[in-house]
Amino acid sequence: MNKTILCIGAGYVGGPTMAVIADNCPDYKVIVVDINAERIAAWQSDTLPIYEPGLQEVVERARGRNLFFSTDIIAGIKEADIIFVSVNTPTKTFGEGAGKAANLQYWEKTARDIIEHAESDKIVIEKSTLPVRTAEAMHRILQSNTKGLNFDIISNPEFMAEGTAVDDLEKPGRVLIGAMEDESGQKALETVANIYRNWVPEEKIKKTNVWSSELTKLVSNAMLAQRISSVNSISALCEKTDANILEVSSAMGMDPRIGSKFLNASVGFGGSCFKKDILNLVYLCEFHGLPEVAAYWEQVVLMNDYQEERFVRNISNHMFNTVAGKKIAIFGFAFKADTGDTRESPAIHVSKLLLEERAVLAIHDPQALKYAKLDLADYEGDISYETDPYKAAEGAHAIAILTEWKEFRDLDFEKLYASMEKPAFIFDGRNLLDHQKVFEIGFNVYPLGQKALSHL
Ligand code: UDX
Ligand code: UDX
């Protein structure tokens, strides 16, 4: 077996993962290919296609040494014996399972490219998040080759989060590798484990069967999202009872069985993975005749929609039951802080609902304005995009905080207040601000899951 690794798909997952592998494994040659030539050119340039702290340095250390980016998928397939596949698997928009199931067409096309061009045995690794038992179908397709070649299929899902990708890859909580239980599968598992052994301690390498590995990825995201939906549901009850969600979360999180992380109430969770993966899980449960299990997990997504809708209803209710013609400054459009990514951002849904109520929106975000414009391009209404938060708030009736950017805390709220219409409102969808302080300036403040601070 030669030591050349190919990765098909140079996206958020493939790019950083391969850069960290190349950086830590100087004995391996790592080639990353993509059908998108623009993206490959960006990986070869000083302006990488994605921003992640520390990524530029990692790429620069390895690029040209043992890390290469290319559009030549065929040459890559011929050269490498180990092939990671991290093409995207979006939610299906057509046919059976539309809106829930994963669209596997890119994956299948990639498998077919591999059999067409392979000249030697390969290990094919699922890096993309896939429905459980995809490996079975892929294995059948790969083994249908008429060249007498052997293909082992391995599941090795990625758990990194955006904004901390390099750290998560360098010090992973676990590296999960799932393989078929036959001799060939187990040998392939060891080959893949040997890559990670270059920098990951043995006890962090978790070996399972291939189905457990595929399912673990979906369930890990579903469990994380479920924590947020659970806390968000309780934030609604807190607002009715004068309990405080911050106190409830922190007191509850002191139980080590519950744990303190991922318990921050918010306007809703976003990102490219949570919703997609839960809906995929729901579809799988339906497919396998488990409607109760499907309904249980679907509720996590429905609760997220509810939280976003509830946030908008609160805005309208507190602003005298109408936002029509009122300017609302949206502070934060990214799905979380420290990223320019807006995929499935709660800000999209919230903006859409506010526009339906005929509010006038001025959107400010330190990183995400480019994508915000694209996300709202098809919506009708009065929308402006401001790089200057003070400009966004000028003449506004309210500020709605939708992303937990730290810099929002340091804004001059006296200045913001002075330029706004009165009464001025703040709706803090991330419980980010010092609410007492802004209340004393004159704002009517509506945090999440906490008592409102109102002068009215
Ligand atoms: C990945 C996984 O693939 C997805 O299943 C997981 O849930 C999230 O992470 P991500 O890296 O975020 O997706 O996707 P994206 O940034 O869209 O990158 C995928 C890349 O694959 C794109 O650059 C696309 O051009 C490329 N691609 C797609 C191919 O090279 N060939 C194809 O046939 C299809
Ligand atoms: C997630 C998983 O964390 C990662 O393991 C997986 O590989 C990909 O999906 P990511 O989408 O980058 O990563 O973001 P994450 O940090 O998990 O946040 C997801 C969403 O939940 C964000 O919108 C965030 O603001 C929200 N969130 C997170 C909350 O609302 N409250 C919390 O307590 C934590």
Side-chain angles (χ1 to χ4, degrees), residues 9 11-13 34-36 39 86-89 106 128-129 276:
Y12 275 88
V13 172
D34 202 294
I35 45 171
N36 182 337
R39 209 167 231 199
S86 69
V87 300
N88 40 338
T89 50
Y106 305 126
S128 310
T129 305
K276 168 171 81 76

Side-chain angles (χ1 to χ4, degrees), residues 142-258:
L142 292 166
Q143 291 302 49
S144 71
N145 78 85
T146 50
K147 302 177 190 170
L149 297 177
N150 181 52
F151 294 93
D152 286 298
I153 188 130
I154 294 281
S155 162
N156 172 222
E158 187 44 64
F159 296 102
M160 71 190 198
E162 282 183 47
T164 52
V166 173
D167 245 22
D168 293 345
L169 288 162
E170 276 173 350
K171 293 184 237 49
R174 81 285 209 195
V175 168
L176 178 58
I177 310 176
M180 303 284 187
E181 280 155 327
D182 58 9
E183 200 188 324
S184 175
Q186 292 301 303
K187 209 171 135 221
L189 190 157
E190 286 308 310
T191 305
V192 177
N194 279 338
I195 301 172
Y196 290 100
R197 286 187 178 116
N198 279 284
W199 80 99
V200 178
E202 192 65 34
E203 65 274 16
K204 299 271 187 198
I205 299 178
K206 174 77 182 162
K207 303 171 192 172
T208 66
N209 78 32
V210 71
W211 325 119
S212 304
S213 174
E214 288 178 331
L215 186 56
T216 301
K217 173 64 202 191
L218 288 182
V219 176
S220 297
N221 277 344
M223 292 283 282
L224 288 168
Q226 183 215 44
R227 276 173 84 86
I228 302 169
S229 275
S230 297
V231 165
N232 283 345
S233 74
I234 300 304
S235 75
L237 185 58
C238 284
E239 287 167 30
K240 300 282 184 201
T241 56
D242 283 351
N244 180 322
I245 194 66
L246 299 182
E247 293 179 350
V248 174
S249 287
S250 70
M252 190 171 57
M254 287 169 80
D255 183 335
R257 292 170 303 177
I258 297 174

Side-chain angles (χ1 to χ4, degrees), residues 103-372:
N103 178 352
L104 298 178
Q105 81 183 92
Y106 305 126
W107 235 99
E108 184 171 338
K109 158 95 176 44
T110 304
R112 290 187 189 282
D113 284 346
I114 295 173
I115 39 178
E116 188 181 343
H117 302 292
E119 291 164 351
S120 57
D121 295 351
K122 311 277 178 202
I123 297 174
V124 177
I125 304 159
E126 301 176 343
K127 235 335 163 195
S128 310
T129 305
L130 295 164
V132 60
R133 294 207 78 88
T134 302
E136 188 178 29
M138 293 306 153
H139 197 233
R140 276 209 205 116
I141 293 174
L142 292 166
Q143 291 302 49
S144 71
N145 78 85
T146 50
K147 302 177 190 170
L149 297 177
N150 181 52
F151 294 93
D152 286 298
I153 188 130
I154 294 281
S155 162
N156 172 222
E158 187 44 64
F159 296 102
M160 71 190 198
E162 282 183 47
T164 52
V166 173
D167 245 22
D168 293 345
L169 288 162
E170 276 173 350
K171 293 184 237 49
R174 81 285 209 195
V175 168
L176 178 58
I177 310 176
M180 303 284 187
E181 280 155 327
D182 58 9
E183 200 188 324
S184 175
Q186 292 301 303
K187 209 171 135 221
L189 190 157
E190 286 308 310
T191 305
V192 177
N194 279 338
I195 301 172
Y196 290 100
R197 286 187 178 116
N198 279 284
W199 80 99
V200 178
E202 192 65 34
E203 65 274 16
K204 299 271 187 198
I205 299 178
K206 174 77 182 162
K207 303 171 192 172
T208 66
N209 78 32
V210 71
W211 325 119
S212 304
S213 174
E214 288 178 331
L215 186 56
T216 301
K217 173 64 202 191
L218 288 182
V219 176
S220 297
N221 277 344
M223 292 283 282
L224 288 168
Q226 183 215 44
R227 276 173 84 86
I228 302 169
S229 275
S230 297
V231 165
N232 283 345
S233 74
I234 300 304
S235 75
L237 185 58
C238 284
E239 287 167 30
K240 300 282 184 201
T241 56
D242 283 351
N244 180 322
I245 194 66
L246 299 182
E247 293 179 350
V248 174
S249 287
S250 70
M252 190 171 57
M254 287 169 80
D255 183 335
R257 292 170 303 177
I258 297 174
S260 60
K261 291 185 181 152
F262 245 72
L263 287 179
N264 295 324
S266 65
V267 56
F269 60 74
S272 67
C273 292
F274 281 3
K275 187 174 171 191
K276 168 171 81 76
D277 291 352
I278 295 170
L279 292 178
N280 191 344
L281 185 63
V282 168
Y283 178 76
L284 280 170
C285 295
E286 284 169 354
F287 179 83
H288 289 288
L290 302 169
E292 291 83 0
V293 185
Y296 175 76
W297 286 106
E298 190 162 23
Q299 194 57 32
V300 174
V301 174
L302 296 178
M303 184 53 62
N304 200 48
D305 293 343
Y306 164 78
Q307 184 75 346
E308 292 163 358
E309 286 153 17
R310 195 173 78 79
F311 185 76
V312 173
R313 252 194 325 271
N314 268 343
I315 294 182
S316 181
N317 289 348
H318 293 302
M319 292 175 74
F320 318 109
N321 293 317
T322 177
V323 291
K326 292 178 183 167
K327 180 175 172 184
I328 299 181
I330 302 285
F331 278 19
F333 206 88
F335 83 96
K336 66 178 185 182
D338 302 320
T339 173
D341 193 346
T342 62
R343 289 180 291 176
E344 299 294 340
S345 177
I348 301 172
H349 192 195
V350 166
S351 299
K352 177 173 171 261
L353 294 172
L354 286 170
L355 289 168
E356 279 169 10
E357 293 294 331
R358 311 251 167 105
V360 176
L361 301 187
I363 297 171
H364 164 73
D365 188 287
Q367 294 278 344
L369 285 187
K370 185 175 114 194
Y371 289 118

